[in-house]
Amino acid sequence: MTDAIPTAADLTLGEKASLTSGADFWTTKSVERAGVPSIMMTDGPHGLRKQTEAADHLGLAGSTPATCFPPAAGLGSSFDPELVERVGEAIAVEAAIENVAVVLGPGINIKRSPLCGRNFEYFSEDPFVSGVLGAAMVRGLQSRGVGASLKHFAANNQEHDRMRVSADVDPRPLREIYLRGFERVVEDAQPWTVMCSYNRINGVFASEDPWLLTSVLRDEWGFDGLVVSDWGAVNDRVAGLPAGLDLEMPASGGLTDAQLVAAVREGRLDEAALDTAADRVLDLVRKARRRPVVEGPLGVDAHHALAREAAGRSIVLLKNDGAVLPLARDARIAVIGEFARTPRYQGAGSSLINPTRLDTALDELRALSRGEVSFAPGFTLDAGTAEDTDAATALRDEAVAAASAADVAVVFLGLPTADESEGFDRESIDLPGDQLALLDAVLAANARTVVVLSNGGVVALPFADRVPAIVEAWLLGQAGSGATADVLYGVVNPSAKLTETIPLRLEDNPSYGNFPGEFGHVRYGEGLLVGYRWYDAKDLEVAFPFGHGLSYTTFAYGEASAAVTVDGDIEVAVAVTNTGPVAGREVVQVYTSLPVSSVQRPPRELKAFASVALEPGETREVVVTVRRKDLAYWDIRTGGWVVERGAYAIEVAASSRDVRATTTVDIEGDPIRMPLTLDSSVGEVLAHPVVGPFVRQAMESMVGGGQLDEGLVKMMESFPLGRLARFPGVGVTSEMVEGLIAMGNAS
């Protein structure tokens, strides 16, 4: 197929305007006269949702069967970019079979609060994890000629009032937490499209923010693709287009096309801006036409097998006291909980996949067992928090009887479907009361109890100190139940780690009190201290820390070493040994900190990780690279990234609170010289490499050549230089101050 697609210069004003909004819910407009075809976009990001019925963006209408892979809440826990990339490749194959040009994903927004109703679609509370895994998904999709749409750009961290709310966030956390993952994906993987979010950022709609869509995304990061609106995110099309919004979706019935034409004719919109947007749409069409043709039918079995593998790698073993797991094949098992036969495997909303098949845990456990496997539903999925109705009591009694007769009780608990969806947030992190009452009764009947969780966002675990084994099985896609059975019986050794902290209480979360905001504004009052950064800085006890995850084997770490490479990056090496009886996989995490810093910093920040598979007794040296640029903080004075000079602590860890080896490395800082002004403080003057020593010497002379009182110096550090001349008794004139400023700025 040729690339005989015209440029904007070949089109009429009306044709150019028409290209910048959708033809319908999922396709772009064609221009038949000029040979421009329409292309299709569909929802992702953990499978293909190509609708076959009335189009909508909330998952209400039916769609073509497709493989439902683990949503990001699960897949992210694998900490494995190669696995994520393989899943992306498989989704792209399915998209190509269905003639879909762009898959709307991945979503990499930060899990600021566990209450966000869409957290199941996002990877992590950490921007580094989100960026690395997001880039892997983009690479996987685009390696097969299908475009990705990186979303939701940006600071889209809640569903409440999502179409209007202003995320009011300071420059450093905006850059270091909420934009950093997007920056990495754009620079490393160049997605074909970026989707702007519904919300406002510091009062400006993302869809019409030139700073966000042009200055940052294109000028700073080098993005060369197309910016598409989230479906219905356009507030003012005439304002949005020159700001950098190229394509409005879905169709507007021609309304906004006419607005653009009128604005150009009336001189309110430069036609060059419309040309730019139209050319970006045409470039997307060219890319789509180059993709290889993939003939069906879909290899359903192979993709289901990949979904099972990915799900098995996504399951986090939180606790396993007394080696209750893995289950013995001939043990008598009581499977309890309706989720075991009616699985929750995905969240609701625009990412709702119509799976090609669906495993159930009860069937899969029975398929692997050589012993008796009984079942009791224990609760109904519509029971809510009711604990003491006659029906609930009868279900609980049945479950207790089954548990009493078993060697091990496996209790499936989780959140109802109605609790987790696009469009609204959760009200608490608690499991339903009837499920907690059931667990209490089962524990009283059988102390050897395993809890398996089905949830897209973290839940409180008030039973964590009483249950010997807890498995975080997330929402794992269509093959998740089979993968769960694999892990419970030891066919798969769990290796996943938490990409978000599980707090003891919602009240401990850093966003508590600043979520979801009020009257159209939400204040990001926690600043930089998001997720584990907050819990570590506050030294708060948590249920399970970021990065935590157990295995059926054990791992020992050797001494760590760190060295600066010729490129200025840090190469960190550590020997890891499988000291247990079975093969396993360990996620080695590298955190950095700068104990002596001129700016606020968290106690530690994840800057590298690697997943390493080891046979029993095997030792391998794990080498990871910390990019120099990832050490930088956002300097609000210069409006740029700065790597600060100093001795950086390097912590090699099994979780954010399980540090196994430490070392330090000296890093040369970026040169930064702030110009001196009348508003510069005495402290800033004293720190100046040229003027500082001169001023200190002068101050010592003023006190008779003796030692300066450092307490007095500290007190004066924040005093503005220009006010010294007006302060009686100091002996400083305006001429002296101006001379110092001139000396400093000339050096």
Side-chain angles (χ1 to χ4, degrees), residues 387-571:
E387 301 174 27
D388 297 317
T389 65
D390 291 343
T393 300
L395 288 171
R396 195 155 56 240
D397 289 346
E398 179 189 11
V400 167
S404 299
D407 296 322
V408 180
V410 182
V411 183
F412 285 76
L413 306 178
L415 294 174
T417 301
D419 279 14
E420 293 185 293
S421 173
E422 176 183 358
F424 58 86
D425 295 318
R426 292 162 60 189
E427 296 181 0
S428 79
I429 61 171
D430 297 331
L431 289 167
D434 60 330
Q435 295 186 30
L436 295 175
L438 169 70
L439 178 59
D440 287 341
V442 170
L443 275 171
N446 190 333
R448 290 176 61 79
T449 292
V450 178
V451 169
V452 180
L453 298 168
S454 297
N455 51 297
V458 297
V459 294
L461 304 174
F463 49 80
D465 60 343
R466 296 182 288 122
V467 175
I470 304 175
V471 176
E472 177 53 89
W474 303 115
L475 305 179
L476 293 176
Q478 66 181 55
S481 293
T484 300
D486 290 340
V487 167
L488 291 175
Y489 275 111
V491 177
V492 169
N493 188 354
S495 60
K497 305 270 190 171
L498 293 174
T499 60
E500 54 188 308
T501 307
I502 302 180
L504 290 173
R505 313 177 307 152
L506 176 63
E507 292 82 356
D508 294 336
N509 181 263
S511 70
Y512 187 78
N514 283 306
F515 182 96
E518 55 195 23
F519 305 127
H521 288 266
V522 55
R523 174 66 184 157
Y524 284 41
E526 66 278 9
L528 294 169
L529 302 181
V530 177
Y532 68 90
R533 292 165 169 81
W534 169 273
Y535 297 106
D536 288 352
K538 301 292 184 180
D539 196 23
L540 287 173
E541 185 180 356
V542 299
F544 294 99
F546 176 91
H548 170 77
L550 303 178
S551 169
Y552 295 148
T553 191
T554 53
F555 300 96
Y557 287 60
E559 297 291 324
S561 64
V564 179
T565 70
V566 293
D567 296 325
D569 298 331
I570 306 173
E571 189 174 88

Side-chain angles (χ1 to χ4, degrees), residues 77-362:
S77 295
S78 72
F79 275 86
D80 192 335
E82 293 181 4
L83 178 65
V84 174
E85 188 168 338
R86 288 169 56 205
V87 169
E89 290 175 2
I91 294 173
V93 168
E94 299 194 22
I97 290 173
E98 294 293 335
N99 197 28
V100 170
V102 176
V103 172
L104 303 180
I108 66 163
N109 295 97
I110 295 298
K111 299 184 182 185
R112 176 176 176 250
S113 167
L115 296 180
C116 177
R118 212 166 178 178
N119 274 354
F120 61 87
E121 284 193 50
Y122 304 140
F123 287 112
S124 180
E125 67 188 19
D126 181 78
F128 180 77
V129 176
S130 300
V132 170
L133 299 185
M137 178 62 76
V138 171
R139 283 195 300 270
L141 286 166
Q142 297 185 172
S143 70
R144 297 303 183 97
V146 172
S149 191
L150 182 66
K151 64 182 188 181
H152 305 89
F153 189 59
N156 179 194
N157 310 107
Q158 65 187 62
E159 293 298 286
H160 175 76
D161 201 21
R162 64 176 178 163
M163 306 288 282
R164 303 177 305 170
V165 72
S166 175
D168 297 338
V169 54
D170 293 336
R172 279 196 66 198
L174 180 58
R175 289 286 193 159
E176 295 183 31
I177 302 294
Y178 299 102
L179 295 184
R180 205 164 201 165
F182 285 96
E183 181 177 7
R184 189 180 189 98
V185 177
V186 168
E187 292 184 345
D188 285 9
Q190 277 292 340
W192 287 9
T193 74
V194 168
M195 182 191 293
C196 79
S197 54
Y198 291 119
N199 55 286
R200 294 176 292 158
I201 302 172
N202 293 323
V204 181
F205 279 103
S207 63
E208 53 194 63
D209 188 344
W211 172 82
L212 181 73
L213 301 183
T214 297
S215 297
V216 172
L217 180 61
R218 295 189 183 279
D219 298 343
E220 291 184 25
W221 300 350
F223 177 64
D224 61 5
L226 173 141
V227 175
V228 60
S229 73
D230 202 343
W231 268 232
V234 172
N235 175 62
D236 183 333
R237 187 74 182 106
V238 175
L241 185 134
L245 178 64
D246 304 307
L247 175 62
E248 175 188 16
M249 291 297 290
S252 69
L255 175 64
T256 57
D257 300 348
Q259 291 173 352
L260 293 176
V261 170
V264 170
R265 287 175 174 164
E266 295 166 8
R268 293 182 290 111
L269 175 65
D270 188 344
E271 189 170 357
L274 180 58
D275 289 347
T276 297
D279 273 328
R280 288 171 183 159
V281 175
L282 292 168
D283 186 58
L284 180 64
V285 173
R286 289 188 196 95
K287 291 176 181 175
R289 284 168 62 88
R290 295 187 197 118
R291 68 185 187 278
V293 176
V294 179
E295 299 291 345
L298 170 65
V300 172
D301 292 342
H303 280 205
H304 188 78
L306 175 59
R308 185 164 181 156
E309 178 191 351
R313 293 281 305 283
S314 302
I315 294 171
V316 183
L317 180 59
L318 295 177
K319 185 179 179 182
N320 192 25
D321 290 355
V324 175
L325 294 175
L327 301 171
R329 292 294 185 98
D330 57 357
R332 292 172 301 164
I333 307 299
V335 177
I336 297 168
E338 183 60 42
F339 289 119
R341 69 176 178 186
T342 310
R344 268 207 73 211
Y345 58 98
Q346 61 179 328
S350 61
S351 65
L352 193 69
I353 308 301
N354 177 16
T356 58
R357 65 179 62 164
L358 183 61
D359 296 342
T360 70
L362 182 58

